[in-house]
Amino acid sequence: MNNNRKNNGFTHNVLFYAVIFLCIMGIVYFFFGGNNNGGQSKNVSQTQFVTALRKNQVKSFQVQPNGGVYKVTGTYRKPQKMSSDNQAGFSLMNQRSSTTTNFQSSVLQSDVTVNQLQKYADKNNVKITTHPEESNSIWVNLLVTALPIVIMILFFYMMMGQAGQGGGRGVMNFGKTKAKPSNSKDNKVRFSDVAGEEEEKQELVEVVEFLKDPKKFMKLGAKIPSGVLLEGPPGTGKTLLAKAVAGEAGVPFYSISGSDFVEMFVGVGASRVRDLFDQAKKNAPSIIFIDEIDAVGRRRGNGMGGGHDEREQTLNQLLVEMDGFQGDEGVIVMAATNRSDVLDPALLRPGRFDRKILVGRPDVKGREAILRVHAKNKPLAPDVDLKEIAKQTPGFVGADLANLLNEAALLAARRNKTEIDASDVDEAEDRVIAGPAKRDRVVSPQERKTVAYHEAGHTIVGLVLNDARVVHKVTIVPRGRAGGYAIMLPKEDQMLMSKKNAEEQIAGLMGGRAAEELIFNSQSSGASNDFEQATQIARSMVTQYGMSDKIGPVELQSSGQVFTGQGYDQSPYSEKTAALVDEEVRRILTEGHQRALHIIETHRDQHKLIAEALLKYETLDEKQILSLYKDGKMPEKDVEAAEDEQRAATFEESKRELERRENAKSDQENADELPDSSDATVTPKSSDDNSSTNGEDNTTDHHSTDDD
């Protein structure tokens, strides 16, 4: 397959350069083809040629009959000045040359004979050469005339062929669909490869059974849904489910993206829809899968500045094919999107996409099943507990979990291990949430102390208000743009958020700023991301959840994304209500801040103990944090392990520092060997402090250092 593509590309390249070469040769022939003597030639009339021959100005010339005309080319005895007409074709190529000794002319056979020219030549001792008339001159003229036309035809043919390769092999194939059918032999994905989506698979099993045995349903008068819409957040496995349906059913499976229907030519999208359904009907029963259908199925007539006619024509044709006059017997259409709120209502009505399957984020049981699927081909050490990992990754979708295990495998390979152990998975989890660790970042002692007490503030508030969330880990190791972070995990997966839970989350987010104010009597930019998350929760409480006594149980803001054209510039409530919303949001945040201040003030000793442990060990896990909070000390085994890890980190840092000093010494020695220069300047190397606030998962509180 790849070799054929390479050969086709090579062939097209050769043809392209061949056409370019022919064009260049045609241009050269056009300018220089009539000049047989080399150099520039002066075009003279018949009278001028005869006069110059009589005056003995011609050194030699050649005569060749050519259809009733003598074609004359020759050489002057002295250089002659060229006229502007002769220089027009060469002004860009040779502006300095204004004289020439070559000339060319045409003499009518009826006016002057060869004998007369011979007589004039003998009189002045001029060399004359006579050539017979060329028998193939007609063919040469025809070739010269037709060559530019042939070149243009070939050029346009190649251009149209290249433009039509997307939907076919030429310009007439623009309307052909790009989808190619695949069968169960090509598709190896089965329902057993899809984990964590048992209810979704059960809904699709009916589709598979209908494709295998339609009589079972027809006997009962049942009609299988003609359209199945898979909707849900990105990475939840919608496309994988569609592949599993095709693999289980063993029928032709046509897969295409929504953006493949729309081209720059009007009518191409609708034509491709017709061709796609025609092919699917010929091979019925079959499945059509349209990925990212929102690219072509958006709501009609609601775009800024009017609708997109070509996209709307494509959507109209899709609606007709799915439930038109002729119907789509034996063809099941599946589609996937993560923006079902922007789809046209006509596309979602019964008879078209009449079965909607929500493919949501998996729960802890589903995450464990997904981890087991992705861990099949990975050697895991005995200390890796997939069930525990599933508990530590709330909110992760299938793509996130696959990336987590892949990062762990990469880390294990980087460390020259033969198995993936728990430390690799733990590091991979941190990398997925916050990015790679930046242990070489230069951090001042005061800033490091600020980060430690900031994260300890989050930790203390989280330990006290632990009804819904527990502190899983806290660290001051910089990752990404964050100077440190604390991971708070829910005790169990929650579908609903209570008012108490929301208020505790806000208080926990305010713990970092409260600790800074109590310990250092100052404020830093590290709490900016905490405020961002807290403000989002507080505004949702007021405008969506009805958790404000002053506003009441009213939804003032939809949880869905704003779709252009649906009241985008129209405020859903009055200015007075908007001011009241802002006042309530500020009240909730202020109460959370005061609550965090009170908790840290009443737990000063534990707060200081955790902060000092962070300064010493940099990272604390859940067991160590609870031991410090309850017993006032770390477990002995954990202390020894932490000290070993710290010694290893110190050794690595000392090793890197020694290498830096040796490199600096080597550079200095090389500089001493160079000649002294009074213009030499030394530019100090500044540390990279471009860390600012950043977004993160709602289960993590990051502390970000200040920007320079």
Side-chain angles (χ1 to χ4, degrees):
M1 188 72 177
N2 294 332
N3 293 333
N4 292 336
R5 291 180 179 176
K6 291 180 180 178
N7 293 334
N8 291 336
F10 176 77
T11 302
H12 283 290
N13 290 335
V14 170
L15 289 175
F16 178 78
Y17 289 118
V19 170
I20 296 296
F21 176 77
L22 290 175
C23 291
I24 295 174
M25 293 300 295
I27 294 173
V28 172
Y29 181 84
F30 178 80
F31 284 107
F32 302 104
N35 182 15
N36 298 328
N37 297 327
Q40 303 176 19
S41 297
K42 181 179 181 181
N43 294 320
V44 298
S45 63
Q46 174 181 321
T47 303
Q48 292 174 334
F49 165 64
V50 175
T51 302
L53 184 61
R54 288 179 177 179
K55 292 182 178 181
N56 197 19
Q57 295 177 352
V58 178
K59 181 179 180 181
S60 63
F61 64 93
Q62 300 174 358
V63 179
Q64 182 178 18
N66 187 10
V69 178
Y70 292 120
K71 183 179 179 182
V72 180
T73 57
T75 306
Y76 288 111
R77 295 184 183 276
K78 296 181 180 180
Q80 300 290 321
K81 185 177 181 180
M82 296 183 65
S83 63
S84 59
D85 294 339
N86 294 109
Q87 298 184 27
F90 307 97
S91 59
L92 295 177
M93 293 181 289
N94 191 4
Q95 297 180 352
R96 295 182 179 180
S97 177
S98 59
T99 61
T100 183
T101 58
N102 301 324
F103 71 90
Q104 57 184 8
S105 180
S106 297
V107 179
L108 295 175
Q109 295 181 5
S110 59
D111 296 340
V112 181
T113 63
V114 176
N115 294 332
Q116 290 176 332
L117 295 176
Q118 183 70 43
K119 181 180 177 181
Y120 296 147
D122 294 341
K123 182 178 179 180
N124 297 318
N125 195 20
V126 177
K127 182 180 179 181
I128 180 173
T129 305
T130 304
H131 295 285
E133 183 176 0
E134 294 182 357
S135 59
N136 61 345
S137 59
I138 298 177
W139 297 105
V140 173
N141 292 334
L142 181 62
L143 178 62
V144 172
T145 305
L147 183 62
I149 300 176
V150 174
I151 291 174
M152 294 300 295
I153 292 175
L154 287 174
F155 178 74
F156 280 107
Y157 175 78
M158 290 181 59
M159 291 296 294
M160 293 302 181
Q162 290 285 347
Q165 282 181 4
R169 292 297 301 172
V171 67
M172 300 306 295
N173 291 323
F174 268 114
K176 300 296 183 182
T177 179
K178 297 181 179 181
K180 300 300 180 184
S182 61
N183 50 40
S184 57
K185 295 181 180 179
D186 301 328
N187 187 4
K188 304 298 183 182
V189 181
R190 299 293 185 268
F191 279 142
S192 59
D193 299 319
V194 183
E197 298 171 352
E198 300 304 323
E199 292 82 3
E200 293 83 352
K201 288 192 291 185
Q202 186 61 38
E203 292 291 324
L204 294 173
V205 165
E206 294 181 3
V207 176
V208 175
E209 291 181 353
F210 176 81
L211 293 171
K212 289 183 176 181
D213 186 14
K215 295 181 180 180
K216 172 183 175 182
F217 296 86
M218 292 180 180
K219 288 179 180 179
L220 298 174
K223 182 181 178 182
I224 199 70
S226 58
V228 179
L229 180 65
L230 304 175
E231 55 177 321
T236 51
K238 299 182 291 295
T239 305
L240 186 64
L241 274 173
K243 290 182 179 179
V245 171
E248 292 285 350
V251 299
F253 181 75
Y254 297 84
S255 177
I256 192 170
S257 174
S259 60
D260 290 336
F261 288 113
V262 182
E263 294 281 358
M264 68 178 185
F265 296 101
V266 178
V268 171
S271 177
R272 287 181 177 174
V273 171
R274 286 192 294 270
D275 184 66
L276 174 62
F277 276 84
D278 287 342
Q279 291 189 29
K281 290 175 183 178
K282 291 178 182 178
N283 298 302
S286 59
I287 298 175
I288 295 176
F289 176 64
I290 305 175
D291 199 8
E292 304 297 342
I293 195 175
D294 52 275
V296 70
R298 285 177 177 265
R299 192 184 302 268
R300 290 169 291 183
N302 274 331
M304 296 290 288
H308 192 306
D309 291 337
E310 170 62 9
R311 183 184 58 78
E312 290 191 3
Q313 289 183 21
T314 306
L315 175 58
N316 291 337
Q317 186 62 42
L318 181 62
L319 296 175
V320 171
E321 293 290 344
M322 289 191 66
D323 189 25
F325 188 75
Q326 295 180 352
D328 55 347
E329 298 296 334
V331 177
I332 296 178
V333 183
M334 298 183 64
T337 181
N338 53 14
R339 293 294 310 277
S340 59
D341 57 314
V342 304
L343 295 180
D344 194 279
L347 199 62
L348 302 177
R349 73 161 178 82
R352 293 193 174 113
F353 285 110
D354 42 14
R355 175 168 294 188
K356 306 171 188 64
I357 300 177
L358 177 62
V359 187
R361 300 180 184 275
D363 56 11
V364 62
K365 184 179 178 181
R367 291 195 298 272
E368 182 181 354
I370 294 173
L371 287 170
R372 295 193 184 282
V373 169
H374 292 293
K376 285 182 179 179
N377 60 341
K378 296 178 176 64
L380 300 180
D383 61 346
V384 176
D385 188 354
L386 296 180
K387 186 174 183 179
E388 189 66 25
I389 297 173
K391 293 180 180 179
Q392 297 173 5
T393 52
F396 276 42
V397 296
D400 296 329
L401 297 172
N403 185 38
L404 171 64
L405 289 183
N406 184 63
E407 285 288 342
L410 293 175
L411 287 170
R414 188 182 305 170
R415 297 169 178 175
N416 298 320
K417 297 180 180 179
T418 58
E419 290 182 330
I420 303 173
D421 57 27
S423 62
D424 300 322
V425 177
D426 187 65
E427 174 65 19
E429 184 179 341
D430 292 340
R431 291 172 69 91
V432 171
I433 293 176
K438 298 183 179 297
R439 297 185 180 274
D440 290 338
R441 178 182 292 178
V442 179
V443 181
S444 65
Q446 180 59 34
E447 184 174 318
R448 190 168 180 268
K449 186 177 181 181
T450 301
V451 174
Y453 277 89
H454 179 106
E455 301 303 334
H458 288 306
T459 306
I460 286 296
V461 178
L463 289 169
V464 174
L465 305 176
N466 62 351
D467 289 344
R469 291 176 175 262
V470 295
V471 181
H472 173 64
K473 178 189 290 187
V474 61
T475 180
I476 60 172
V477 177
R479 287 185 180 271
R481 295 182 178 180
Y485 60 92
I487 299 179
M488 311 285 184
L489 298 179
K491 289 185 176 180
E492 56 186 12
D493 288 347
Q494 296 176 331
M495 296 295 295
L496 301 175
M497 177 185 290
S498 64
K499 183 177 181 180
K500 179 182 178 182
N501 188 1
E503 291 174 346
E504 288 184 357
Q505 287 190 44
I506 292 175
L509 290 167
M510 293 295 178
R513 168 57 64 86
E516 293 179 13
E517 293 175 349
L518 285 175
I519 303 303
F520 305 105
N521 195 24
S522 65
Q523 299 173 344
S524 72
S525 63
S528 60
N529 187 257
D530 301 332
F531 295 156
E532 179 184 350
Q533 293 185 60
T535 304
Q536 290 177 356
I537 296 174
R539 187 165 294 277
S540 297
M541 291 173 62
V542 176
T543 60
Q544 295 182 32
Y545 308 148
M547 295 179 180
S548 170
D549 295 335
K550 289 186 178 181
I551 301 295
V554 181
E555 184 192 46
L556 301 178
Q557 179 179 339
S558 175
S559 59
Q561 296 177 333
V562 177
F563 176 55
T564 303
Q566 288 185 287
Y568 179 76
D569 53 355
Q570 298 178 0
S571 177
Y573 42 82
S574 65
E575 295 182 1
K576 181 179 179 181
T577 304
L580 190 59
V581 168
D582 293 338
E583 180 182 342
E584 283 294 281
V585 170
R586 188 178 298 107
R587 177 189 63 79
I588 293 173
L589 295 176
T590 302
E591 290 178 357
H593 181 250
Q594 294 297 326
R595 191 176 185 182
L597 284 171
H598 175 72
I599 291 173
I600 297 175
E601 180 68 31
T602 55
H603 295 79
R604 282 265 191 154
D605 295 337
Q606 292 97 325
H607 177 250
K608 182 179 180 182
L609 194 62
I610 293 175
E612 291 179 349
L614 281 173
L615 289 173
K616 183 177 182 181
Y617 303 112
E618 292 189 335
T619 302
L620 301 175
D621 59 21
E622 181 180 354
K623 182 179 179 182
Q624 295 167 344
I625 293 170
L626 290 176
S627 179
L628 288 169
Y629 179 72
K630 295 179 179 179
D631 303 331
K633 62 180 181 178
M634 287 183 63
E636 295 182 1
K637 293 183 179 179
D638 293 339
V639 170
E640 295 176 358
E643 290 178 349
D644 292 340
E645 184 178 354
Q646 184 182 22
R647 281 193 293 268
T650 305
F651 174 76
E652 291 294 333
E653 178 63 27
S654 303
K655 184 178 179 181
R656 287 192 293 268
E657 181 64 24
L658 181 61
E659 291 177 354
R660 285 195 291 265
R661 290 181 180 180
E662 291 179 351
N663 293 334
K665 183 178 179 180
S666 177
D667 294 340
Q668 183 63 35
E669 292 176 353
N670 294 333
D672 294 340
E673 295 176 358
L674 296 175
D676 190 14
S677 173
S678 59
D679 296 332
T681 58
V682 178
T683 303
K685 184 182 295 185
S686 60
S687 60
D688 184 13
D689 288 334
N690 62 339
S691 54
S692 59
T693 59
N694 67 310
E696 68 270 342
D697 188 81
N698 57 6
T699 62
T700 308
D701 301 323
H702 290 212
H703 177 278
S704 302
T705 55
D706 206 358
D707 281 346
D708 282 342

